[in-house]
Structures are given as C-alpha cells and as structure tokens.
Amino acid sequence: MRFFGVGATWAVSLLAAYLAFLAVVQGPVTLASFAAVPPAFTLDLGLTPLAAPFLALLAMLGVAIGAWCLRCERPVDAALIAGFVATMLLVLVARSVLAFVLAWELMSLVSAFLVGANHRRRDVRRATFVYLVVAQSGALCILVALLLLASHAAGPGFSDIASSAAAIPAGTRTAAFVLALIGFGSKAGLLPLHFWLPRAHPLAPPAASALLSGAMLKVALYGLCVVAFELAAPAPAAWGIALVVLGTVSAIGGVLYALVDHDLKRLLAYHSVENVGIITIGIGVALLARSSGALALAALALIAALFHAINHGLFKALLFMGAGVVAKTQGTVDLEKLGGLWERLAWTAPLFLVGCAAIVALPPLNGFASEWLTFQSLVGGFVLPDAGTRIVLLGATAGLALTGGLAAACFVKVFGVAFLGRARQPKKSHAVQPEQERFDAATFAQALLAVFCALFGLIPALAVVPLARIAATTIGGPAFTGVASIPPASLSVLPIALVALPLAGALACFALAAHRRLRSVPTWTCGSPVTPAAQYTATAFSKPLRMIFAFVLQPEHRRLVESGSSPWFPARIVYRIETRDVVDEGARWFGALALRVARRSRALQSGSLRLYLAYAVAALVVVVTLARR
Amino acid sequence: MIALSLLQLLVIAALAPLVQGAMKLLRARLQGRPGPSALQPYRDLAKLWRKESILPAGVSPIAVAAPGIALGVALPLAAALPLAAPGMPPLGEIIALIFLLALSRFVLGLAAVDSRSAFASMAASTEQTIAALVEPTLLLALLGAAALGQGTQLSALRYLPFGLAGLLAVGAFFLVLLAETARVPIDNQETHYELTMIHEGLALEFSGWQLAFIQVASHVRQLSFLLLAGLLLPGGTVWAVAAWAVAIAVVVTVVETLFAKLRLFEIPQLLASAFVLAAASIALRLFGTTL
C-alpha cells in the first residue's frame, strides 16, 4: 500500500511536470474530450498556460511529499496522498463545467479523508465536519457561477465560455464573479471565510497539511484566476479593487492571528491565510491594471502572484514537514513546551530555518523574490489614472509592509523559542527516537524543498521567464521586459548583490571564531542559576504586539496565584491568555442559525411516501415551467 | 561607478564612528557635562577588536555569525546611497534595501533569543515590534519618487521637487530615523537598565570582536540614515546632503536632550503619527496635480 501510494504520487508528479512543460511551450492544448448526449455533460480535459505554474508546483511538491510518505505513519495515507495529488491535477486540466465541478468535488472529498485521518479524536471529527460544510457550500457557489456563465455561451467548454464572455451581460458576469469569489475564496482561506482553515489544516498528517496548505489553496486561487481572466473577462476595475482589499485584510488578519497562536501547526495555517492574501493582492492588481489598459503592469502583477503561489507552496510544505518532525519526536507542537531543538534535530532545524527565512521574505530566498515583485507591481500602480485605485494601492502597500514586519516578528518567535535556547521540558525517558536525527526520507523531502526555495530565490529567472510567457498570453499584452530596469533574465543580480556582503560577514565571523578566541560561558542571569524556565516564552515574546493590536485580537488575561503561607511568596502562578477570533464567533453564530433552520425544516421529512412523490412532482413542474420560459 | 560606490562605502564606514562620537559629545555638552572625546568610539572599537569574544554555552552557529551578517547588511546600505556615484542600480532599490534591513534584525533577534537571556529576548521582542510598526512608514517616506512614476531607485529621490509633500516625508522619516538609530524618545543608547534597552539589549550577550562588529554596523547604519534624510531634503549636491545630515544629527541630539524616553506602549502612537505624515506626503504627490 505504502509503496503503491508513493509510486503513484511520483508518477502523477511526473505527469504534472510534463503537462506544465507542455502548457508553457505549446500554449492551449486539448488533451481529451468526451462528448455527451445533453451537451451540458461534455467532459473536456485540456491545458492552458495559466495552469502551468500550478502544475509545476504540484510536481515539485509531489516529488518531495512522495519521498516523505516513505516514512509516514499510516500506509493508507500514502495512497490517499496519491489520490489527492491526482484529483488536484484533474482540477487543473478540467476545461468544461462538469469536468471542473466533478474534479473539484473529488478533491474536496479526498482531502476531507486526509483531514479526518485521526478520526478517533472529537475535535478532528468536528473540524472535518466544518471543512466539509464549507467545502460543499463553496462548491455550490462555484457550480452556480459556472452555470450562470455557461448559460450565455455556446457550450459548457471553458473555451466556449471564454470566447463569448464579452457578450455576457455585465450584471450576470458580476454575479458569477461574486459567487466564484465566495466559493474559491472560502477554499483558499481568504478572510472572512478562513475560519475552517486553521482548524482543519493542522489536524491532518504532516504530508497532508503540506499539500492542503501548499497546493490545494493554490488550486482554489487557480480557479479564481480562470474565472477572472478567462471565463468572466474582461474584469471591471471594481473586481480588482475588491481583490486587493480582501487580500490586504487577509494578509494582515492572518499574520496577526498567527502571531498570538502558539500551536506551531495552527500558526502555520494562519500564515497560509496571510500568504493567500498576498497572492490575491497580486491577482487584484493584475485585474486593475488590465482594466485600465496598463498591460505591462498587469503582466508584472500576475507574474508576482503566480510566483508567490509557487513559492508559498514550497516553503509552507517545508515548514509543515518540519512541524511534523517536531510533533513526532517531541510529542507536542506547543511552542511553550518546546525549546532547544537545534541540538536534537540536526537536519530539520537548519532546514526549518530556511523555510522561516523564506516565509518572512529575507533575501536571497524565494519569498523575497516574489514579495519584491508584488511590491513593485503595487508601486507601479501608483500611476494608474483612477484616484480611488491609487488610494487602495497605497493602503495595500502599507498593509503589505506591516504584514512583512509582523511575519518577521512571528518567525523570530517561532524559531527562537522552539529551536534555539534550551529545552523547556526534560527529555522523555521513553523516547524511542535516537539522540541525533539521521538523514532519511523525511529529511530528504525537506532538503529537496529547501533547495527549491534557495534556487528560486537566487535565480528568479527560472520561474519569471516562463511566467512572463504565461502572463503575456493570459493578459494578452506585449512581452514582459523587466522590472525596476532589470530584465527578467538577469533578476539574479538583485539577490546576489544584496546578500554578498552579509554572507561575507557571516563567513568572516566563522573564520574569526575558529582562529581567534571565542569562549563559552554560562549565560549571565544576574547571578541566579540558569534554568530553562527562565527563558523568554512565546507568550511573552508576542505580548507587545498583542497589546498594540488588542483592538483586533481582544486578548483576555487570566491570572491564578496560589500562595502558601504568605501572599508575597506565591507557590504557583498560572497565567493564561486567550484571544478572540471575531470571525470565528461570527461563523459559530451562523452555524447555530443554520442548524436551527435545519431543525425547523425537518417537518418536511415526514417519512410519508405519498408526500415525497408530491415533492417530486412539484419539483418537476417547477423545472419544466422554468425551462419552457 | 562601482569603484566610486566602494570609495563612498569606505568614507562612510570610516566617518561613522566619528559621527557617533560627535553626537555623544554634543549631547554631553548640552547636558553640561564635559563628555568623552569625539574619537572615543574608535578607541572603543580598537579595544573590543583585540579582546576575545564570549558567548553563552551551547548557542547555535547563528549567534556566531549574527554580528557579521549585521555588518554585512549595513555596508550595502552605505554603498547604495546615490552620492558619489549615481547609485549602484541593483542595490539602490528602496524596497529591496528594506527587506535587507529585516535580515539583520531577524538574525540578531534569533541570536538574542538563542542566548537564553530573558533580557536579550525581551529586547528582541520589542525590536521586532517597533520594526513592524516602522516598516510601512519607512517604505512610504521613501516612495515619493515612485508616486510620481519615477521608479523605486534611491537616486530618483535626489532631484525630487520638495514642497509640502517633501516636508511631510522628512518629518515622517525623522521619526523613523529616531527608531532605527535607537534614539530617545524611542530607545536610549546610554541606558544601563536592561529592561529599557532595545537596540543595546539585542547586543547584551555579545562581547569582544563580535560586539565591535555590531557597533560598527550600528554606526554605519546611523550615518546612512542621516544621509538618507539629507537626500530627502532639498539640495541634491553631495555637500548639501552632507550638510543636511550634520544638521539632522544636531537636531537628533537636541531632541535627545529635551525629551524623555516614551513608555513602550506610547511608542505606537508616535509611530502612527509618523505613518500619517508619510501617507499624507505620498497622497500629496499622487494627487498634487489635481489638488
């Protein structure tokens, strides 16, 4: 089962890589077409250049995650992972309404099995249920959106819809776009429909979390791009503005909630919300620029968005795998209990550091390259003619800068508290893991992703040159010639010039440490004995930002002092802090409402066969009258 | 052109400790103390360079390399200023430089947490907090040229029309400068009380040649920021920029003498007003033709 699953994952990944190559080199390709008697049921499979970056991401993740699955805990997970990758591939090549919706539902189903892998736990069952509800409501919105568009077109194929898109009334297109935004946005985790994501993603096995955050969110964004750039094109400026605003809100909201969360996996899931926001900003700027005729800027923004989608997939998968190793070896992912993992995880710790540096966009890693491009596209939009557009872009620029600073704070906390310093809990006596981590399939998978992160950071041309072709065909503008007077092929000069001196400085320090005196002494803590408990905690580290952003996070402190003989010498102090997720509460309220409505409507389900037949007849009459009209 | 940039880098690096010493001397004189000689930073650095470095036991290689990375981040900033040469094209890109500054903070922050000292970790937490709040302002204050469609190179700032927008940008950048160079009212370089240290606190567990690296990095960064502020003010020639930098250094010192350090949770209000100034400046530039 395990080897079958791994083999299948790798085979699908190779297929995805081949298809990505084909899509870039040949442009639109039809792979297969199954005509059906009612033409609405036609199944078309094909390729567009827009799918290529997502296929490439799927291929890279598939290879790494396949390797990881050689060591995953349940063999059945490997098979499920293979199925998950295959269904995502299907979504990316689906080119008709029915094919897309079928593939989309399959993807949701398979991923729900992965989220519910530990179904013996109550919270897992609950999260899986919430995920399924959100996924199904979203799928319904997507179905309606696609049908709305297809009803005005010659056929259900995406190319038919695209060719007649301009003739569709503006109101219908806007309705379809809004529905698609709800459907794809909820799957991608855009605020305020993100509430299921930080619950579902962390509960899945590590490989599945990596795929959920790394790939599935991107597939949802692909769907949004297909609707916005192809099926419902041309997009008015308002759609672009909506996406930029939503993206900025998601980026800031995601990072704020990540900052105060101390469950490593949930924190990473919140960072997915942040990064999906950043990608959405890029897509929004591309739509805005295209609607006002600035095609070069639109291409730049689309390149930035697609590049960041690839990059986020790579480093988020790397980080989720690292969190998986932490969970397996330490038995917890609570930052307050971790510490000093650098010594215990000789391979995972440095690789996790690469992921942290990539996600906070430090040069020369891939996150820097794509966030820099996103900033360039935002700033390039300052000269767009519309005043409202400029204001929105100005706000988004500031918001993105704030997001970057907050993300940096968050990952100093994560890596510093969990991996550096000293262990906070004593080593378990029954630890089955060997003292030193060995290089195995799991570390190989992480190393592979880290190499991709470094490669795309040092040589952005690897991604930007093909993405420029894709953007040119998608936007329909001239070839992309470069950004900030740097042609795309020589973008490498920027990261290399930036890090040459820091790297030299680091090497100089290592040389000096080897040749000159560098002595180790215990940390000076004002004379008191150095204990692991005296180290700064994650709660303490994020306190200033929690206080400053209290108007969003609404933290609630509870302090419990147990004192013995004297109130001045407490025996134990328990300090607990909780933050409220406003959206979460809204979702809970809405969920309760939906349940109440469902309970009321139970009266319809009387169990009487004749009544059911009456329902069926009534439904038939309604459909026929509607169809005849 | 690269030779000129390197020459500029060397001049800035050589003068940076002198600027620090002169500001310290001026501050002492304003406070009625004789103060140390302006050349004292050179003597301190020479002494630190000769000494051994002491690190807490069991730290990771990050703590060994962090001072070198901090210095390696400050130097490109000095080389990229469009003064002697028109600026090095790939390096003089404003957004990339801001990302680069984050690299030094990230590594120093990790090293501070790695030292297991609660004081250093607290400083890292505060530094990251302030940096996150400063970053949007810093970006917007420097994007004046980009708002006019002239690109995001530092060299475009040099001949930017000044006016009210320029004045607002300088005001915002001045507050950013106070934060980035660890000055009162945001930070206090002279404090000996660990709880209030921010920038100094990050370097708490460093000593010897490693501390020398960090100090040179801070001095170079300070002079670079002063020169950047000079670049935002009208003039444009190298001498005008240098003169403005000296003037701003004097103003910073006077501010340090007149004001007390703000409480930590009052700093966000100050930085928020800096952000408003910067946003207003960009808005003026964006809509200057219509208003």
Side-chain angles (χ1 to χ4, degrees), chain A residues 53 83 231 260 274 468 562 614:
Chain A
L231 303 184
V260 293
E274 175 216 336
E562 288 173 19

Side-chain angles (χ1 to χ4, degrees), chain B:
Chain B
M1 198 164 78
I2 291 181
L4 272 179
S5 291
L6 284 179
L7 184 69
Q8 169 188 321
L9 166 64
L10 287 179
V11 170
I12 291 180
L15 287 181
L18 178 67
V19 172
Q20 170 74 7
M23 287 173 81
K24 210 165 184 172
L25 179 64
L26 180 62
R27 187 179 174 186
R29 288 289 159 85
L30 286 173
Q31 293 172 348
R33 294 183 283 124
S37 150
L39 298 177
Q40 190 60 36
Y42 293 105
R43 297 187 195 122
D44 291 346
L45 286 173
K47 188 165 191 178
L48 284 172
W49 177 249
R50 284 196 302 272
K51 285 188 153 201
E52 68 173 352
S53 176
I54 293 176
L55 276 178
V59 292
S60 68
I62 297 171
V64 179
I69 295 177
L71 183 58
V73 166
L75 293 180
L77 187 64
L81 292 172
L83 297 175
M88 295 171 87
L91 267 186
E93 209 284 325
I94 292 163
I95 300 167
L97 281 178
I98 291 176
F99 277 103
L100 188 64
L101 288 177
L103 173 64
S104 130
R105 223 168 12 234
F106 187 76
V107 178
L108 280 179
L110 285 184
V113 180
D114 198 13
S115 73
R116 298 126 166 89
S117 157
F119 289 133
S121 307
M122 180 192 277
S125 158
T126 321
E127 172 100 354
Q128 292 291 342
T129 304
I130 292 178
L133 301 178
V134 159
E135 212 154 87
T137 314
L138 176 60
L139 184 64
L140 291 193
L142 293 179
L143 280 185
L148 299 178
Q150 295 171 0
T152 52
Q153 297 288 333
L154 277 178
S155 49
L157 289 174
R158 199 161 154 185
Y159 299 105
L160 202 63
F162 190 66
L164 180 59
L167 196 65
L168 290 171
V170 169
F173 190 81
F174 180 75
L175 294 175
V176 168
L177 183 142
L178 291 178
E180 288 280 336
T181 58
R183 294 285 174 178
V184 173
I186 289 168
D187 193 359
N188 185 359
Q189 293 188 350
E190 318 252 309
T191 182
H192 295 285
Y193 185 45
E194 294 96 332
L195 287 173
T196 61
M197 287 179 177
I198 302 174
H199 189 72
E200 293 283 298
L202 275 183
L204 206 57
E205 291 296 324
F206 286 111
S207 52
W209 53 267
Q210 284 194 309
L211 187 58
F213 268 75
I214 292 182
Q215 290 199 344
V216 175
S218 315
H219 297 162
V220 171
R221 232 165 81 139
Q222 170 172 277
L223 184 50
S224 303
F225 267 84
L226 287 170
L227 288 168
L228 256 179
L231 210 60
L232 289 174
L233 282 155
T237 62
V238 175
W239 297 113
V241 171
W244 278 122
V246 171
I248 289 170
V250 171
V251 175
V252 168
T253 319
V254 172
V255 166
E256 279 212 297
T257 314
L258 290 181
F259 291 90
K261 186 180 174 305
L262 281 177
R263 281 174 53 222
L264 180 60
F265 289 106
E266 281 169 10
I267 293 176
Q269 290 171 19
L270 184 70
L271 295 179
S273 41
F275 175 76
V276 171
L277 288 180
S281 150
I282 292 280
L284 269 182
R285 294 234 192 255
L286 283 177
F287 302 109
T289 49
T290 52
L291 284 181

Side-chain angles (χ1 to χ4, degrees), chain A residues 65-66 68-69 72 77 81 84 114 204-212 265 317 320-321 324:
Chain A
I65 285 171
W68 170 280
C69 284
C72 68
D77 283 350
I81 292 279
F84 190 25
L114 283 166
S209 304
L211 267 184
L212 282 165
K265 294 184 84 175
F320 262 121
M321 286 181 180

